[in-house]
Each structure stands twice: as C-alpha cells, then as structure tokens.
Amino acid sequence: DSGVTQTPKHLITATGQRVTLRCSPRSGDLSVYWYQQSLDQGLQFLIQYYNGEERAKGNILERFSAQQFPDLHSELNLSSLELGDSALYFCASSRAGDTQYFGPGTRLTVL
Amino acid sequence: GQSLEQPSEVTAVEGAIVQINCTYQTSGFYGLSWYQQHDGGAPTFLSYNALDGLEETGRFSSFLSRSDSYGYLLLQELQMKDSASYFCAVRDSSNQGGKLIFGQGTELSVKP
C-alpha cells in the first residue's frame, strides 16, 4: 500500500459524458501527478500540481483539467469523453520530486 | 525532447539473472528511476540512481552511467512473482516540476 488513494476504482460511462477522478496523496506529500496508461502503453504524464498550484503540464487534452485543493487532494476532470479516452488513470504523489508513489488507479471505460 | 528506450520484452527462467537496459535522451538529467508494474496494478518504485554506479536493494540492483546515458536493472534469483512490466524513468529537469518521463516498459516473463 503506497498511501495514495484513488476513487473510483472503476468507471464506465458513455461518449460525450464528463467524469471526475479523485486522488488523495500520501500524508505530507505536496506534489500530485496524473498519468494516463492506455492498453499496453507506457505511462503518459498529464499534469502536476504542487501545493495547490499547477507546476508542469504534459500532453494533456484541452477536454481534460485538474485541480488541487487546500487539503492537497486532487481531481482530474475529463469531459466530452471519447472511446480513445478509455485507459487507466494513475495519480502519484511525492515529497521531493524524485520518488513518486502511485495510487491503485482508476480504470475508465468509455462505451 | 526526451526519450527512453528499453526492450519490449524479456524472458528468463526461475532462479536466473536478467538485465533490463535503458538508454535515454533528455535535455537535462536528475536521475534514473525504475518502477515495477504487475498487470493492471499500480507502478511501484524499485530504485533510483542519481550518480554513476551500482545501487543494490536485495535481489534487485540498478546501474547508471551518465556519460553513456545508459542504465540497467539487474534482477537476480528470479522468482515467478517477478513476472511484470519494468519501466525506466527520468526526471525532466527542464522545469521545476519533477515530472517523470517513462520508457515504454519491458515485459518480463519468468518461466519455471
């Protein structure tokens, strides 16, 4: 158990819909990272927040957005969902930026 | 840009030793990390090398050569439970974010 929690574990929705994925980092970790992993693919960095502020952005689609709240939990919002958005979405947290601890992931299926 | 290359799959037998190589190209470099991921599970941190040389943690060791932009993960006394995907990752130092750039992963199959 990494100490990072993510909800929900599974999410099934239809194209065009909007969903919100939630992540709570390890106690004391200020950085939260979001990654997308499609079938048989590597981990693609989406976005990072540090203590409530956006710190780095990857190839995140404009339909996707995220935020980090004062209690340091983070939410990833995915809208106008397409079939290709079906993937595992991982959240990770870190203290120093080198070692990232990953949550169990949310498996999103878009039908 | 940044890129990492590692073999897509490796097969070995139980009790053997296997080495997974990783070469990288980055605009800046803070260190090389290795993560293990079992099918559908969360990536878990294995090791981190910031300086040249070998780091040993139990049955796993990781090596880095900064001059060659190369590293490897060495797994000894392989067990069936070691069957998983292994990812190398570099920290992107082009900004202060600390984001990790991952390789595509090496799928290790351990046979009896």
Side-chain angles (χ1 to χ4, degrees), chain A residues 31 33 35 37 41-45 48 55-58 88 90 96-104 107, chain B residues 30 33 35 37 39-45 48 87 91 95-105 107:
Chain A
S31 279
Y33 310 78
Y35 293 88
Q37 187 175 37
Q41 294 293 309
L43 291 144
Q44 301 296 318
F45 169 74
Q48 180 210 357
R55 183 60 66 93
K57 226 170 182 175
L88 267 169
F90 288 104
D98 293 326
T99 301
Q100 294 186 17
Y101 295 89
F102 283 76
R107 183 176 294 278
Chain B
Y30 272 148
S33 300
Y35 285 79
Q37 184 182 32
D39 196 28
T44 55
F45 173 78
Y48 173 71
F87 294 88
R91 179 180 168 186
N95 60 45
Q96 310 233 334
K99 69 182 183 186
L100 290 175
I101 308 298
F102 283 85
Q104 289 298 298
E107 187 172 346

Side-chain angles (χ1 to χ4, degrees), chain A residues 45-76:
Chain A
F45 169 74
L46 295 178
I47 197 164
Q48 180 210 357
Y49 279 82
Y50 178 83
N51 202 21
E53 294 189 3
E54 184 184 302
R55 183 60 66 93
K57 226 170 182 175
N59 294 327
I60 187 168
L61 299 171
E62 285 190 15
R63 301 183 286 108
F64 296 1
S65 65
Q67 55 184 326
Q68 186 179 28
F69 295 86
D71 67 352
L72 301 177
H73 91 271
S74 177
E75 292 181 356
L76 178 68

Side-chain angles (χ1 to χ4, degrees), chain A residues 2-70:
Chain A
S2 67
V4 179
T5 60
Q6 286 187 251
T7 56
K9 196 175 174 73
H10 300 277
L11 198 50
I12 302 174
T13 188
T15 54
Q17 295 299 303
R18 173 190 170 95
V19 297
T20 298
L21 313 184
R22 183 188 168 102
C23 167
S24 292
R26 292 188 321 157
S27 177
D29 286 358
L30 299 179
S31 279
V32 168
Y33 310 78
W34 287 97
Y35 293 88
Q36 179 192 56
Q37 187 175 37
S38 302
L39 191 64
D40 296 330
Q41 294 293 309
L43 291 144
Q44 301 296 318
F45 169 74
L46 295 178
I47 197 164
Q48 180 210 357
Y49 279 82
Y50 178 83
N51 202 21
E53 294 189 3
E54 184 184 302
R55 183 60 66 93
K57 226 170 182 175
N59 294 327
I60 187 168
L61 299 171
E62 285 190 15
R63 301 183 286 108
F64 296 1
S65 65
Q67 55 184 326
Q68 186 179 28
F69 295 86

